[in-house]
Amino acid sequence: PAPPSAPRAHPMLDAVSWTQLAAEREALVRGVYASATAALEQVSSEPGGDDPRPPAVVLDVDETVLDNTPFEAALVKSGAPFERALWNRWVEAARAEPLPGALDFLAACRERGVAAFFVTNRQARQEAATRRNLERLGIAVLDDPDGLLMREEKPEWGRDKASRRAQVARTHRILMLIGDDLGDFLPGVADTGVDRQQRHELVVRHAELWGRRWFVMPNPLYGSWKGALWRFADGLSAEDRLRAQLDALEADTGEPGAD
């Protein structure tokens, strides 16, 4: 009989394996939500002064509340690249499970009277399926004001989430932000005008907020961090993107003159 064929090396294999299977990832995610819950107890008890707006938290959805690794794993096992049609089918199925700690954190929000708003770059036509997925998990989504703010739901709501956070801030006092991408916290970071070095400088500039009011989930699968490696250039082939990633690595073997 012919020997079994060797597994195909999918470029996302390590990232998907770690995200879905590593106990360390679960520990990290649980720790982030535990820290956010502890911070919530403190910031929600602080007086709002003359600000009449009720308190709220703003969360991303994918890889922050919902775990999409079964979809990513299916791509890896089939050897398929990401395709929008496949992603749309996964979203419509509404089968994503919650990240560890997400439901407990949202329950703590409800107990303290803190509204939860979900700002996602899922497209507007996917709002019903996204709401169905969240509500299947027991996550209540506000109707008035709108608690689920989708990309392109309004003409001015593009990939950058700043305008949607501003929409929430019109009616609520935002206590904290939780997401897996720098764009969940800062405006304009998924833009060719903001390079990798500037992104790091922005992180340092807002050092007092990380782990106190801003909480980041680990996501090696995708995000604006990858786009920054090739300056968000459109039309690059997979090979060109891979080359840009390799060129960006700062290697050191410990040998004189090595790079």
Side-chain angles (χ1 to χ4, degrees):
S5 60
R8 290 169 290 180
H10 193 284
M12 293 290 289
L13 177 59
D14 282 347
V16 173
S17 297
W18 184 84
T19 305
Q20 186 176 64
L21 306 176
E24 291 85 351
R25 186 258 188 168
E26 180 176 352
L28 184 55
V29 169
R30 288 186 180 278
V32 173
Y33 268 125
S35 297
T37 302
L40 179 71
E41 295 177 1
Q42 178 180 347
V43 299
S44 63
S45 62
E46 295 173 354
D50 296 329
D51 192 338
R53 296 173 300 171
V57 298
V58 174
L59 304 96
D60 175 46
V61 172
D62 295 310
E63 277 53 73
T64 298
V65 176
L66 297 183
D67 180 358
N68 298 296
T69 54
F71 166 75
E72 303 285 352
L75 296 182
V76 170
K77 296 189 79 168
S78 67
F82 175 86
E83 292 183 11
R84 180 64 58 182
L86 296 176
W87 168 250
N88 291 344
R89 187 170 66 189
W90 165 254
V91 171
E92 288 297 324
R95 291 206 299 263
E97 293 298 319
L99 264 69
L103 298 185
D104 290 340
F105 173 77
L106 292 168
C109 290
R110 289 195 300 273
E111 291 172 4
R112 292 187 165 271
V114 178
F117 288 83
F118 303 94
V119 177
T120 172
N121 272 345
R122 291 185 175 193
Q123 295 175 322
R125 65 176 179 270
Q126 298 170 325
E127 180 167 4
T130 303
R131 180 181 288 266
R132 187 167 68 250
N133 200 152
L134 293 170
E135 293 180 345
R136 179 180 66 81
L137 302 174
I139 300 173
V141 182
L142 292 173
D143 288 314
D144 186 20
D146 185 7
L148 183 56
L149 289 74
M150 315 294 291
R151 180 181 175 185
E152 299 170 356
E153 188 174 342
K154 294 183 178 181
E156 65 272 23
W157 289 2
R159 179 178 295 277
D160 192 296
K161 296 181 175 180
S163 60
R164 283 172 278 167
R165 291 194 293 269
Q167 172 79 9
V168 175
R170 290 190 181 100
T171 58
H172 286 70
R173 177 167 49 94
I174 299 176
L175 302 180
M176 62 175 57
L177 305 173
I178 304 180
D180 66 315
D181 189 282
L182 205 57
D184 293 320
F185 309 92
L186 294 163
V189 294
D191 187 276
T192 53
V194 181
D195 61 22
R196 287 187 296 116
Q197 181 60 37
Q198 290 171 313
R199 287 164 63 90
H200 285 283
E201 290 170 357
L202 284 169
V203 169
V204 174
R205 190 180 307 168
H206 296 86
E208 75 283 357
L209 294 172
W210 304 113
R212 295 176 176 86
R213 289 183 182 268
W214 293 359
F215 296 86
V216 185
M217 294 294 167
N219 183 2
L221 300 168
Y222 60 85
S224 65
W225 70 269
K226 271 193 171 182
L229 300 181
W230 50 80
R231 295 182 177 272
F232 304 98
D234 293 330
L236 288 183
S237 66
E239 183 179 353
D240 287 338
R241 292 185 176 191
L242 178 59
R243 184 178 294 109
Q245 285 186 249
L246 290 170
D247 290 344
L249 294 176
E250 299 178 4
D252 187 349
T253 64
E255 298 179 5
D259 56 80

